[in-house]
Amino acid sequence: MSSFESADHPSSQTLNPTPSDNTSSLPVSLPPKLRQLNNPRGHIGVGRIVTTQRDINGDPDNASTESDPVSPHLSLIDYQQTSSLVEEHQAQNVDGRMEVETDVGKGGGEQINESAATATSRSTAELSDADIIDTIISSLLSLTALPPGSQCPLPVSHIHTLLNLSSRVLSNSPSLVRLEPGLKICGDIHGQYTDLLRLLEYGSHPPDERYLFLGDYVDRGKQGVETICLLLAYKVKYGDTITLLRGNHEASGINRIYGFYDELKRRYSVSLWKKFNSVFALLPVAALVGGRVLCMHGGISESMLTNGLEGIEAIERPCEVGDVGLLCDLLWSDPSRLPGFTFNERGVSHCFGPDVLALFLERFDLDLVVRAHQVVEDGYEFFAGRRLVTVFSAPSYCGEFDNAGGMMSVGEDMVCSFQILKPSSREESLEDDVVPIVAK
């Protein structure tokens, strides 16, 4: 695969599609009934020590052959009933239909039917907002005990509560978030929920680790609902421990086409899709780590050569993403080996060359740009003499690519390293790359 493959316009070449496999258990507290079903599938290595696992390294010798003693489909229903934390769906859309529709066999796995979603032993009125957020997190994390692709029947009223709380939290965030070093940075997820769980196990779940996500949580993959709901729930519960930036797919004009609209229409309703997009419009668009590392989803804009970071700070939210301008460039632009600002084959924004990137960094006393937005073979890829790095966190993207998924760690000493989730077709070990960011 060529460097910097567009995540929005992937190549027609198919590179070793890889089947999904069971994911490892997560270090979370589960009820005894689920704990019995939470079969380990190996151990994910961190840092330079990598222990093979089938769903990461494709080694069948390390895959567990133990089967679940009880149907995992029924176990989640039983968990939700006995936990007394899932309410009955009574919300209806404008046509009077139930917000959650039964749909089995779609979306890359068995969708748990509506009977699970209607299981209840106490009403929403008895649940505080904190209870609802905890319920969402525990329900979503319980999917680790089920086959990859299993969907979580979150009650629609719980999702509405999550989105309302998320709107309040995000409204208080600046457009340019300033963060202290000592955190992990993740690129595109694109609804690959099982891989998100692996990343969080790899780096530890919040609040044990701080995270910065660079956008594109939905579309393409089949579990955009689970992906964005878990990240928003963590944001509401743990605040500044996790920062979510906006990607180009967190816009109604894009996720209307590339999958999220269809997923929500099938599983819930169009009105809920609109509400998700109202939350997306509040997401910050850039972050500055340690005052030296600028992070966004796409790349730099020509106006930033003059205005620096002031233009980003002046962006008012909520906002729509236009076809031109600073916000568009932050979410859409790409690096190019051609000098200056040149035409972008996406048909949106522009490409920026190594010369203008170096000029921007020098002029505003920055060391590195970290962005996502493009598929890269090893999960991360440097550009322009290590002045920019692309991080892409969805391994085996769309089931069509043989790419690894990357996660970047920025230490408190401003040294960065990269952890890799390898596609199953890779047998060799990929060592971490350790790079000093700040020149001494």
Side-chain angles (χ1 to χ4, degrees):
M1 177 172 53
S2 62
S3 299
F4 292 126
E5 189 73 60
S6 167
D8 297 304
H9 304 285
S11 168
S12 59
Q13 181 182 11
T14 299
L15 301 178
N16 300 330
T18 54
S20 297
D21 200 353
N22 289 326
T23 186
S24 298
S25 58
L26 295 180
V28 296
S29 177
L30 297 176
K33 196 175 285 287
L34 267 180
R35 199 177 301 126
Q36 295 171 4
L37 299 177
N38 200 16
N39 292 328
R41 306 298 188 194
H43 179 75
I44 303 177
V46 179
R48 295 184 177 274
I49 302 175
V50 179
T51 304
T52 55
Q53 176 184 339
R54 180 181 177 87
D55 59 1
I56 293 193
N57 299 329
D59 185 357
D61 294 333
N62 289 311
S64 172
T65 58
E66 181 182 359
S67 60
D68 291 336
V70 182
S71 166
H73 188 161
L74 294 177
S75 68
L76 180 57
I77 297 175
D78 184 61
Y79 163 64
Q80 290 174 319
Q81 289 173 333
T82 56
S83 68
S84 301
L85 291 175
V86 178
E87 63 158 349
E88 182 176 5
H89 283 279
Q90 294 179 344
Q92 296 180 332
N93 62 19
V94 292
D95 297 323
R97 298 189 301 268
M98 290 298 294
E99 291 275 359
V100 179
E101 299 174 353
T102 302
D103 185 59
V104 178
K106 295 182 181 181
E110 292 188 8
Q111 176 172 339
I112 302 171
N113 60 32
E114 190 178 333
S115 63
T118 58
T120 182
S121 62
R122 63 176 177 173
S123 66
T124 301
E126 297 174 338
L127 291 176
S128 67
D129 289 345
D131 289 336
I132 291 175
I133 295 301
D134 288 341
T135 301
I136 290 173
I137 293 173
S138 62
S139 296
L140 289 169
L141 293 184
S142 71
L143 292 184
T144 187
L146 305 185
S150 298
Q151 295 175 349
C152 185
L154 294 173
V156 67
S157 57
H158 285 195
I159 297 179
H160 277 290
T161 298
L162 171 63
L163 296 179
N164 290 337
L165 295 172
S166 298
S167 294
R168 293 182 211 168
V169 172
L170 294 173
S171 295
N172 294 323
S173 297
S175 294
L176 174 65
V177 183
R178 297 178 185 270
L179 302 172
E180 294 298 319
L183 78 170
K184 297 186 181 296
I185 302 175
C186 299
D188 299 40
I189 303 296
H190 279 301
Q192 295 185 198
Y193 182 66
T194 299
D195 294 315
L196 172 63
L197 293 179
R198 293 174 188 158
L199 284 170
L200 293 175
E201 179 179 6
Y202 214 5
S204 297
H205 284 252
D208 295 335
E209 184 63 72
R210 295 169 56 227
Y211 285 91
L212 168 61
F213 285 84
L214 302 180
D216 277 14
Y217 314 107
V218 301
D219 284 343
R220 303 291 190 182
K222 295 180 171 63
Q223 291 182 279
V225 171
E226 285 80 4
T227 298
I228 188 61
C229 283
L230 179 62
L231 292 175
L232 287 176
Y234 274 151
K235 178 63 180 176
V236 171
K237 184 174 178 64
Y238 297 119
D240 293 340
T241 300
I242 180 170
T243 300
L244 306 178
L245 299 185
R246 190 175 187 177
N248 63 304
H249 280 261
E250 280 71 61
S252 59
I254 299 300
N255 61 50
R256 171 67 178 83
I257 300 171
Y258 289 98
F260 192 51
Y261 171 87
D262 292 330
E263 180 182 353
L264 278 168
K265 183 179 179 181
R266 183 180 71 248
R267 296 177 60 182
Y268 292 95
S269 70
V270 173
S271 62
L272 192 60
W273 170 75
K274 293 179 179 179
K275 189 161 186 175
F276 268 106
N277 277 286
S278 69
V279 173
F280 293 160
L282 292 166
L283 289 169
V285 296
L288 186 64
V289 179
R292 312 292 295 180
V293 180
L294 181 63
C295 307
M296 75 285 283
H297 181 74
I300 65 172
S301 176
E302 189 169 2
S303 65
M304 293 170 64
L305 292 180
T306 303
N307 301 325
L309 306 183
E310 293 180 1
I312 302 177
E313 293 175 312
I315 293 176
E316 296 183 356
R317 310 177 342 271
C319 56
E320 296 298 324
V321 183
D323 295 331
V324 294
L326 174 60
L327 179 59
C328 175
D329 295 337
L330 287 169
L331 272 57
W332 280 95
S333 66
D334 296 305
S336 169
R337 291 182 175 85
L338 296 176
F341 292 96
T342 55
F343 174 76
N344 193 324
E345 293 183 355
R346 297 177 188 268
V348 182
S349 186
H350 55 238
C351 293
F352 54 92
D355 55 339
V356 292
L357 173 64
L359 176 62
F360 167 72
L361 293 175
E362 181 180 353
R363 182 171 292 177
F364 297 100
D365 197 24
L366 300 172
D367 292 305
L368 182 71
V369 168
V370 181
R371 43 92 68 177
H373 197 39
Q374 290 175 303
V375 184
V376 287
E377 186 173 8
D378 292 328
Y380 72 98
E381 185 168 299
F382 281 100
F383 171 78
R386 294 195 166 185
R387 291 185 175 94
L388 178 147
V389 63
T390 295
V391 180
F392 195 82
S393 301
S396 301
Y397 178 54
C398 294
E400 298 178 358
F401 292 87
D402 193 32
N403 66 288
M407 180 168 60
M408 177 177 174
S409 296
V410 181
E412 294 181 357
D413 56 356
M414 293 298 286
V415 171
C416 69
S417 60
F418 299 86
Q419 293 78 45
I420 306 300
L421 288 181
K422 292 180 287 184
S424 60
S425 62
R426 304 274 193 91
E427 294 183 358
E428 72 276 12
S429 173
L430 293 180
E431 291 190 354
D432 292 352
D433 193 1
V434 181
V435 184
I437 296 177
V438 180
K440 301 296 184 181

